[in-house]
Amino acid sequence: MNMIDFFNFRKTRRRTETKTKNERRAVVALGGGGARGIAHFGVMQAIGESGIKTERIVGVSMGSLVGAMCAMEPDIRRVQANAMELLHSPTFKKKLAKVYGTAAPTTEETWEGYFAWYERLKNAITPRKFRRASHGQSLMSENILNEAIDCLLPDIDLADLPTRLSVVAVDLLSGHRIVLEKGSLRKAVRASTSIASFFPPVPWGDMLLCDIGTVDSIPVTVAKSYASDLTIAVDVGQEHTKITHCKTAFEVLMRMEDIGERLMRRYVSKDADLIVRPNVSEVSWFDFKHPEKLIEAGREAAREALLPLRKELIG
């Protein structure tokens, strides 16, 4: 049996399965949040351990990448190991450092200063990158995204995944939210993770797609439209925080995006049957230095949130 036959077999089998008496099924909405999205791995592990069957994953931004990995491989520990291998590799760290315009840090103390997000962002917008933004579609090259996605995901069709997956992005041309269920898996995830203005948008037919995370960072509405039983939302966004100053136009712009994203996240979360909120709000979106801690935070939060359902399933 070749690889395509294998995926088609898995897809056919999953759609003919019948629900047992006490079984609960869920559509899981994995939100955006950059590095905080690594916590999704722990959440998916806890959902699997609870006995709840994931019938579909709906992902946006980092949630689309983690969702794609989990939809492709049922062994969550193997999925986690693959992610850790990339995140701990010297190549990934060097490329991440290059994106922010500085040499890769060599000590833990250096990493702490390296991930002061606003300082990194200011450093990233060099005169060269500013000229690039003035004449192109992004501040940065898509290479770091492409190489990470190509390393973690096979070049297959979305429709051939063993677990159903929906990838959410936005079409810059029409202004509509777009839900991808077929087509190139790698390309779909690239579209959903391409942060507007930071990375180039992705052409898709007559559309131009990018990350919708700043306005729709948890795809609960989309997930709810599929659910036959439970809708589980995973919120890896940051909590409300006060700031001491807002001095520049750029700071004002970034602060308004942060406020808008947080208000929208709070609004859409109400439609979920269950919300999992890992304790990762203090982690910057580009802070990949402790992925194991993020996974554990997701696992702990999900186990606690799922406890009432676990008791129901056992009883």
Side-chain angles (χ1 to χ4, degrees), residues 24 54 98 258 299:
R24 301 302 301 271
T54 298
K98 186 176 180 181
D258 178 49
R299 196 159 42 227

mmCIF file of all heavy atoms in Angstrom, residues 24 54 98 258 299:
data_model
loop_
_atom_site.group_PDB
_atom_site.id
_atom_site.type_symbol
_atom_site.label_atom_id
_atom_site.label_comp_id
_atom_site.label_asym_id
_atom_site.label_seq_id
_atom_site.Cartn_x
_atom_site.Cartn_y
_atom_site.Cartn_z
ATOM 1 N N ARG A 24 -17.683 10.553 23.514
ATOM 2 C CA ARG A 24 -17.842 11.979 23.219
ATOM 3 C C ARG A 24 -16.883 12.338 22.101
ATOM 4 O O ARG A 24 -15.746 11.871 22.064
ATOM 5 C CB ARG A 24 -17.540 12.840 24.461
ATOM 6 C CG ARG A 24 -18.396 12.569 25.669
ATOM 7 C CD ARG A 24 -19.883 12.752 25.402
ATOM 8 N NE ARG A 24 -20.252 14.080 24.961
ATOM 9 C CZ ARG A 24 -20.590 15.097 25.782
ATOM 10 N NH1 ARG A 24 -20.564 14.906 27.099
ATOM 11 N NH2 ARG A 24 -20.947 16.264 25.306
ATOM 12 N N THR A 54 -11.262 13.201 18.774
ATOM 13 C CA THR A 54 -11.193 14.431 17.973
ATOM 14 C C THR A 54 -11.646 14.111 16.558
ATOM 15 O O THR A 54 -10.975 13.382 15.833
ATOM 16 C CB THR A 54 -9.762 14.989 17.957
ATOM 17 O OG1 THR A 54 -9.364 15.326 19.299
ATOM 18 C CG2 THR A 54 -9.681 16.236 17.089
ATOM 19 N N LYS A 98 18.412 35.438 12.810
ATOM 20 C CA LYS A 98 18.585 36.212 11.581
ATOM 21 C C LYS A 98 17.351 37.049 11.270
ATOM 22 O O LYS A 98 17.441 38.179 10.813
ATOM 23 C CB LYS A 98 18.893 35.272 10.417
ATOM 24 C CG LYS A 98 19.243 35.993 9.124
ATOM 25 C CD LYS A 98 19.631 34.999 8.047
ATOM 26 C CE LYS A 98 19.988 35.737 6.748
ATOM 27 N NZ LYS A 98 20.343 34.778 5.666
ATOM 28 N N ASP A 258 -3.278 44.624 19.706
ATOM 29 C CA ASP A 258 -3.294 43.742 20.878
ATOM 30 C C ASP A 258 -4.644 43.813 21.583
ATOM 31 O O ASP A 258 -5.230 42.786 21.945
ATOM 32 C CB ASP A 258 -2.164 44.160 21.815
ATOM 33 C CG ASP A 258 -2.133 43.329 23.090
ATOM 34 O OD1 ASP A 258 -2.196 42.094 22.970
ATOM 35 O OD2 ASP A 258 -2.036 43.917 24.179
ATOM 36 N N ARG A 299 -0.826 20.633 28.712
ATOM 37 C CA ARG A 299 -1.291 19.347 29.245
ATOM 38 C C ARG A 299 -2.019 19.544 30.575
ATOM 39 O O ARG A 299 -3.106 18.989 30.798
ATOM 40 C CB ARG A 299 -0.087 18.419 29.408
ATOM 41 C CG ARG A 299 -0.409 16.967 29.592
ATOM 42 C CD ARG A 299 0.778 16.088 29.245
ATOM 43 N NE ARG A 299 2.036 16.602 29.744
ATOM 44 C CZ ARG A 299 3.156 16.699 29.024
ATOM 45 N NH1 ARG A 299 3.186 16.303 27.763
ATOM 46 N NH2 ARG A 299 4.273 17.174 29.545
#
